[in-house]
Amino acid sequence: MALADRIADLPGIETVERADDTVPSRIDVYFRREGSARILKGRRAHLFCSLDRDSVMVSGLDRWGRHQVLSSGWGTFIDELVCIHLPRDHRELDTVWSIVHRAYDNFFDSSEPEPGSIVLSTWDWPKFSRTSLQ
């Protein structure tokens, strides 16, 4: 619940608690329309993350963030979402919170490339000789 409270305190966030027969005890977290025009692009709402009794499903992590979560054993990758294990103590809560907050920051960072765009590394640039030929 401490993690859900922290997420709910983020600006531009709306939470929906689901407690029906189809989805037992799940909290879905959406971006409010006015706070995230860059990512919504005409859609009604954008799901940021879901919390249930087993895990936190987070969208929006960059490649390096996903790599860090997966390589350190904090979660798994499922359909463009990172499934993070729920924290067991305050130390783990801070770690999971930093992962979720990084994903949140990525949604509002204008320098982050759009999904599906080509990312060109400086290693892919042409190599020119530094010598002067006469």
Side-chain angles (χ1 to χ4, degrees), residues 3 56 74 85-89 92-94 96:
L3 182 62
V56 180
W74 278 98
H85 308 296
L86 284 181
R88 296 172 289 189
D89 57 24
E92 288 185 1
L93 174 65
D94 290 339
V96 173

PDB file of all heavy atoms in Angstrom, residues 3 56 74 85-89 92-94 96:
ATOM      1  N   LEU A   3       3.599   1.739  -1.628  1.00  0.00           N
ATOM      2  CA  LEU A   3       3.968   2.011  -3.014  1.00  0.00           C
ATOM      3  C   LEU A   3       2.801   2.641  -3.760  1.00  0.00           C
ATOM      4  O   LEU A   3       2.977   3.610  -4.501  1.00  0.00           O
ATOM      5  CB  LEU A   3       4.423   0.724  -3.707  1.00  0.00           C
ATOM      6  CG  LEU A   3       4.880   0.864  -5.151  1.00  0.00           C
ATOM      7  CD1 LEU A   3       6.103   1.774  -5.238  1.00  0.00           C
ATOM      8  CD2 LEU A   3       5.194  -0.500  -5.729  1.00  0.00           C
ATOM      9  N   VAL A  56       4.162  -5.467  -9.825  1.00  0.00           N
ATOM     10  CA  VAL A  56       3.855  -4.157 -10.387  1.00  0.00           C
ATOM     11  C   VAL A  56       4.231  -4.222 -11.858  1.00  0.00           C
ATOM     12  O   VAL A  56       5.384  -4.497 -12.197  1.00  0.00           O
ATOM     13  CB  VAL A  56       4.667  -3.036  -9.705  1.00  0.00           C
ATOM     14  CG1 VAL A  56       4.322  -1.691 -10.300  1.00  0.00           C
ATOM     15  CG2 VAL A  56       4.475  -3.048  -8.213  1.00  0.00           C
ATOM     16  N   TRP A  74      15.148  -8.090 -10.585  1.00  0.00           N
ATOM     17  CA  TRP A  74      14.003  -7.425  -9.953  1.00  0.00           C
ATOM     18  C   TRP A  74      12.695  -7.712 -10.666  1.00  0.00           C
ATOM     19  O   TRP A  74      11.633  -7.417 -10.143  1.00  0.00           O
ATOM     20  CB  TRP A  74      14.241  -5.916  -9.904  1.00  0.00           C
ATOM     21  CG  TRP A  74      15.083  -5.523  -8.764  1.00  0.00           C
ATOM     22  CD1 TRP A  74      16.421  -5.287  -8.776  1.00  0.00           C
ATOM     23  CD2 TRP A  74      14.672  -5.351  -7.413  1.00  0.00           C
ATOM     24  NE1 TRP A  74      16.852  -4.975  -7.521  1.00  0.00           N
ATOM     25  CE2 TRP A  74      15.798  -5.001  -6.658  1.00  0.00           C
ATOM     26  CE3 TRP A  74      13.441  -5.463  -6.763  1.00  0.00           C
ATOM     27  CZ2 TRP A  74      15.741  -4.761  -5.298  1.00  0.00           C
ATOM     28  CZ3 TRP A  74      13.394  -5.216  -5.407  1.00  0.00           C
ATOM     29  CH2 TRP A  74      14.525  -4.871  -4.689  1.00  0.00           C
ATOM     30  N   HIS A  85       8.795  -7.432  -9.116  1.00  0.00           N
ATOM     31  CA  HIS A  85       8.361  -8.105  -7.893  1.00  0.00           C
ATOM     32  C   HIS A  85       8.005  -7.083  -6.827  1.00  0.00           C
ATOM     33  O   HIS A  85       8.652  -6.033  -6.714  1.00  0.00           O
ATOM     34  CB  HIS A  85       9.453  -9.035  -7.365  1.00  0.00           C
ATOM     35  CG  HIS A  85       9.969  -9.987  -8.392  1.00  0.00           C
ATOM     36  ND1 HIS A  85       9.182 -10.962  -8.965  1.00  0.00           N
ATOM     37  CD2 HIS A  85      11.191 -10.104  -8.965  1.00  0.00           C
ATOM     38  CE1 HIS A  85       9.908 -11.640  -9.836  1.00  0.00           C
ATOM     39  NE2 HIS A  85      11.124 -11.143  -9.860  1.00  0.00           N
ATOM     40  N   LEU A  86       6.997  -7.366  -6.027  1.00  0.00           N
ATOM     41  CA  LEU A  86       6.609  -6.454  -4.955  1.00  0.00           C
ATOM     42  C   LEU A  86       7.690  -6.400  -3.883  1.00  0.00           C
ATOM     43  O   LEU A  86       8.338  -7.407  -3.590  1.00  0.00           O
ATOM     44  CB  LEU A  86       5.287  -6.896  -4.321  1.00  0.00           C
ATOM     45  CG  LEU A  86       4.041  -6.602  -5.130  1.00  0.00           C
ATOM     46  CD1 LEU A  86       2.807  -7.075  -4.375  1.00  0.00           C
ATOM     47  CD2 LEU A  86       3.905  -5.124  -5.442  1.00  0.00           C
ATOM     48  N   PRO A  87       7.881  -5.232  -3.286  1.00  0.00           N
ATOM     49  CA  PRO A  87       8.899  -5.110  -2.237  1.00  0.00           C
ATOM     50  C   PRO A  87       8.480  -5.814  -0.953  1.00  0.00           C
ATOM     51  O   PRO A  87       7.299  -5.870  -0.620  1.00  0.00           O
ATOM     52  CB  PRO A  87       8.998  -3.596  -2.024  1.00  0.00           C
ATOM     53  CG  PRO A  87       7.715  -3.047  -2.522  1.00  0.00           C
ATOM     54  CD  PRO A  87       7.234  -3.975  -3.601  1.00  0.00           C
ATOM     55  N   ARG A  88       9.490  -6.351  -0.233  1.00  0.00           N
ATOM     56  CA  ARG A  88       9.227  -7.050   1.015  1.00  0.00           C
ATOM     57  C   ARG A  88       9.568  -6.211   2.242  1.00  0.00           C
ATOM     58  O   ARG A  88       9.116  -6.511   3.342  1.00  0.00           O
ATOM     59  CB  ARG A  88      10.026  -8.348   1.073  1.00  0.00           C
ATOM     60  CG  ARG A  88       9.614  -9.338  -0.001  1.00  0.00           C
ATOM     61  CD  ARG A  88      10.533 -10.509  -0.029  1.00  0.00           C
ATOM     62  NE  ARG A  88      11.822 -10.040  -0.559  1.00  0.00           N
ATOM     63  CZ  ARG A  88      12.820 -10.831  -0.888  1.00  0.00           C
ATOM     64  NH1 ARG A  88      12.715 -12.122  -0.732  1.00  0.00           N
ATOM     65  NH2 ARG A  88      13.945 -10.344  -1.366  1.00  0.00           N
ATOM     66  N   ASP A  89      10.401  -5.189   2.065  1.00  0.00           N
ATOM     67  CA  ASP A  89      10.779  -4.333   3.187  1.00  0.00           C
ATOM     68  C   ASP A  89      10.988  -2.905   2.678  1.00  0.00           C
ATOM     69  O   ASP A  89      10.800  -2.621   1.495  1.00  0.00           O
ATOM     70  CB  ASP A  89      12.030  -4.870   3.897  1.00  0.00           C
ATOM     71  CG  ASP A  89      13.225  -5.025   2.968  1.00  0.00           C
ATOM     72  OD1 ASP A  89      13.289  -4.338   1.924  1.00  0.00           O
ATOM     73  OD2 ASP A  89      14.106  -5.841   3.288  1.00  0.00           O
ATOM     74  N   GLU A  92      13.678  -2.471  -0.157  1.00  0.00           N
ATOM     75  CA  GLU A  92      13.161  -2.889  -1.464  1.00  0.00           C
ATOM     76  C   GLU A  92      12.083  -1.931  -1.956  1.00  0.00           C
ATOM     77  O   GLU A  92      11.970  -1.702  -3.159  1.00  0.00           O
ATOM     78  CB  GLU A  92      12.621  -4.313  -1.391  1.00  0.00           C
ATOM     79  CG  GLU A  92      13.710  -5.363  -1.262  1.00  0.00           C
ATOM     80  CD  GLU A  92      13.171  -6.782  -1.312  1.00  0.00           C
ATOM     81  OE1 GLU A  92      11.945  -6.969  -1.466  1.00  0.00           O
ATOM     82  OE2 GLU A  92      13.982  -7.712  -1.197  1.00  0.00           O
ATOM     83  N   LEU A  93      11.314  -1.362  -1.048  1.00  0.00           N
ATOM     84  CA  LEU A  93      10.300  -0.377  -1.436  1.00  0.00           C
ATOM     85  C   LEU A  93      10.961   0.818  -2.117  1.00  0.00           C
ATOM     86  O   LEU A  93      10.483   1.294  -3.143  1.00  0.00           O
ATOM     87  CB  LEU A  93       9.500   0.079  -0.212  1.00  0.00           C
ATOM     88  CG  LEU A  93       8.501   1.212  -0.458  1.00  0.00           C
ATOM     89  CD1 LEU A  93       7.400   0.775  -1.403  1.00  0.00           C
ATOM     90  CD2 LEU A  93       7.931   1.698   0.860  1.00  0.00           C
ATOM     91  N   ASP A  94      12.077   1.281  -1.558  1.00  0.00           N
ATOM     92  CA  ASP A  94      12.784   2.408  -2.159  1.00  0.00           C
ATOM     93  C   ASP A  94      13.323   2.051  -3.545  1.00  0.00           C
ATOM     94  O   ASP A  94      13.294   2.884  -4.460  1.00  0.00           O
ATOM     95  CB  ASP A  94      13.927   2.868  -1.254  1.00  0.00           C
ATOM     96  CG  ASP A  94      13.421   3.543   0.012  1.00  0.00           C
ATOM     97  OD1 ASP A  94      12.266   4.014   0.020  1.00  0.00           O
ATOM     98  OD2 ASP A  94      14.176   3.578   1.004  1.00  0.00           O
ATOM     99  N   VAL A  96      12.064  -0.280  -5.698  1.00  0.00           N
ATOM    100  CA  VAL A  96      10.930  -0.379  -6.624  1.00  0.00           C
ATOM    101  C   VAL A  96      10.387   1.011  -6.923  1.00  0.00           C
ATOM    102  O   VAL A  96      10.045   1.317  -8.065  1.00  0.00           O
ATOM    103  CB  VAL A  96       9.839  -1.314  -6.061  1.00  0.00           C
ATOM    104  CG1 VAL A  96       8.593  -1.279  -6.926  1.00  0.00           C
ATOM    105  CG2 VAL A  96      10.360  -2.742  -5.956  1.00  0.00           C
TER     106      VAL A  96
END
